């Protein structure tokens, strides 16, 4: 009898963790050391992603430009705008925790919401997406079980074969996001939005020959979270060659 119970328990654990790994590999895998090309449509599929930072928002409607500028200007972890993280690197990040009263649906005074802040150790993961859009909600589900009310920070380094002038950064995200190239603010997507390829394009910018750093922050309250990024030429046509991802 004891052996039967032990066997059932072992099978259950194998199913749980094996199923988790198989499900994870459906959406992304760990990056390889070799450079990665753009996909056939020009999308960047390799990113280094920080485990989600808790930033509770019970709706996506507050994500106007002013709110996003304020939220993304805060320093959640050291080197937020300068680090080039490696897979497995860890940071101490400031997480916001909200305690809602039991009758919060009838609550009229926002001061009743108790907000606290604490340091959490979060890890960077370098991954290759199996789809053109990186499904952050699936990533969060497998890493921390934190699905909603989050901020994701993502970084990737691209190598350009030559100087590329008058290109445009093209992004879709769910929900709002902000993007920087080589430290310069390049594009912001505000509001409660679904992820749509080429939802917003930046003004014309220049990429230099060699390494260029793309950094993004994606915020979401309830619902799915994902994003996609590629470059377009000055006429809006997707760039599919001349760039690889480190």
């Amino acid at each position: 009898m004891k052996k039967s119970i032990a066997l059932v328990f072992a099978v259950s654990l194998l199913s749980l963790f094996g199923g988790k790994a198989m499900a994870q590999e459906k959406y992304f895998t760990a990056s390889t050391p070799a450079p990665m090309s753009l996909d056939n449509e020009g999308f960047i599929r390799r990113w280094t992603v920080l485990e989600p930072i808790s930033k509770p928002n019970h709706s996506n409607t507050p994500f106007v430009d002013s709110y996003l500028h304020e939220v993304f200007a805060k320093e959640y972890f050291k080197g937020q705008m300068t680090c080039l993280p490696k897979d497995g690197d860890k940071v101490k990040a400031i997480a916001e925790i909200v305690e809602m009263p039991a009758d919060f649906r009838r609550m009229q005074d926002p001061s009743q919401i108790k907000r606290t802040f604490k340091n959490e150790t979060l890890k960077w993961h370098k991954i290759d997406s199996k789809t053109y859009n990186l499904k952050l909600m699936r990533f969060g589900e497998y890493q921390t079980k934190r699905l909603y009310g989050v901020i994701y920070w993502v970084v990737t380094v691209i190598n350009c074969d030559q100087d590329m002038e008058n290109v445009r950064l093209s992004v879709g995200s769910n929900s709002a996001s902000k993007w920087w190239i080589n430290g310069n603010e390049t594009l912001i997507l505000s509001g409660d939005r679904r992820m749509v390829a080429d939802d917003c394009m930046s003004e014309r910018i220049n990429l230099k020959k060699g390494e260029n750093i793309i950094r993004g922050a994606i915020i979401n309250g309830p619902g799915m979270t994902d994003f996609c990024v590629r470059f377009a030429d000055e006429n809006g046509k997707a760039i599919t060659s001349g760039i690889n991802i480190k």
Side-chain angles (χ1 to χ4, degrees):
M1 182 67 176
K2 289 183 179 180
K3 288 184 178 180
S4 297
I5 294 174
L7 180 60
V8 170
F9 181 69
V11 171
S12 297
L13 284 178
L14 182 61
S15 175
L16 173 63
F17 291 104
K20 175 180 174 180
M22 289 175 63
Q24 179 172 337
E25 289 181 359
K26 179 180 178 181
Y27 299 105
F28 48 80
T29 59
S31 296
T32 63
M36 185 182 197
S37 300
L38 303 174
D39 73 9
N40 292 336
E41 296 180 305
F43 289 103
I44 298 170
R45 295 196 181 194
R46 173 169 290 176
W47 296 88
T48 305
V49 185
L50 184 63
E51 293 170 350
I53 299 172
S54 178
K55 181 65 176 75
N57 281 284
H58 296 282
S59 169
N60 294 330
T61 55
F63 297 159
V64 296
D65 285 14
S66 58
Y67 177 84
L68 298 176
H69 287 309
E70 178 183 352
V71 167
F72 294 142
K74 294 180 180 179
E75 184 177 76
Y76 297 91
F77 57 92
K78 187 175 181 181
Q80 183 169 288
M81 296 303 300
T82 57
C83 68
L84 287 178
K86 297 179 181 179
D87 183 60
D89 283 354
K90 296 180 180 179
V91 300
K92 289 284 188 180
I94 300 174
E96 181 179 334
I97 310 299
V98 169
E99 297 180 18
M100 303 291 288
D103 60 344
F104 75 94
R105 293 185 184 279
R106 297 190 299 272
M107 183 180 61
Q108 296 182 356
D109 182 5
S111 65
Q112 296 179 41
I113 301 175
K114 183 179 180 182
R115 298 179 184 271
T116 58
F117 298 87
K118 68 174 184 179
N119 287 327
E120 292 185 334
T121 299
L122 302 177
K123 184 187 292 187
W124 289 95
H125 299 262
K126 190 173 183 180
I127 56 178
D128 294 346
S129 176
K130 289 194 172 183
T131 57
Y132 76 96
N133 56 325
L134 198 157
K135 298 180 183 297
L136 290 170
M137 186 176 179
R138 299 302 182 188
F139 171 85
E141 177 183 3
Y142 302 134
Q143 301 302 335
T144 65
K145 298 296 184 183
R146 181 175 286 158
L147 303 181
Y148 312 113
V150 291
I151 296 178
Y152 282 96
W153 288 90
V154 301
V155 181
T156 198
V157 179
I158 61 171
N159 281 289
C160 296
D161 294 345
Q162 58 187 2
D163 290 342
M164 304 180 73
E165 298 182 350
N166 297 321
V167 302
R168 303 175 72 182
L169 179 67
S170 179
V171 178
S173 69
N174 185 342
S175 184
S177 62
K178 192 172 183 180
W179 300 85
W180 299 261
I181 296 181
N182 297 329
N184 299 313
E185 181 181 329
T186 305
L187 187 63
I188 187 168
L189 286 75
S190 57
D192 182 11
R193 62 202 313 138
R194 294 184 178 183
M195 199 291 301
V196 178
D198 305 323
D199 191 15
C200 291
M201 288 190 181
S202 71
E203 296 181 351
R204 290 168 176 79
I205 59 172
N206 298 329
L207 297 175
K208 61 185 178 181
K209 181 180 179 180
E211 292 188 355
N212 295 265
I213 302 167
I214 307 173
R215 196 178 306 271
I218 303 96
I219 187 170
N220 200 44
M224 298 294 292
T225 315
D226 59 342
F227 73 93
C228 63
V229 174
R230 61 180 171 180
F231 286 96
D233 63 21
E234 58 184 330
N235 298 313
K237 182 180 179 181
I239 295 172
T240 58
S241 62
I243 296 175
N244 62 57
I245 307 103
K246 188 174 179 180

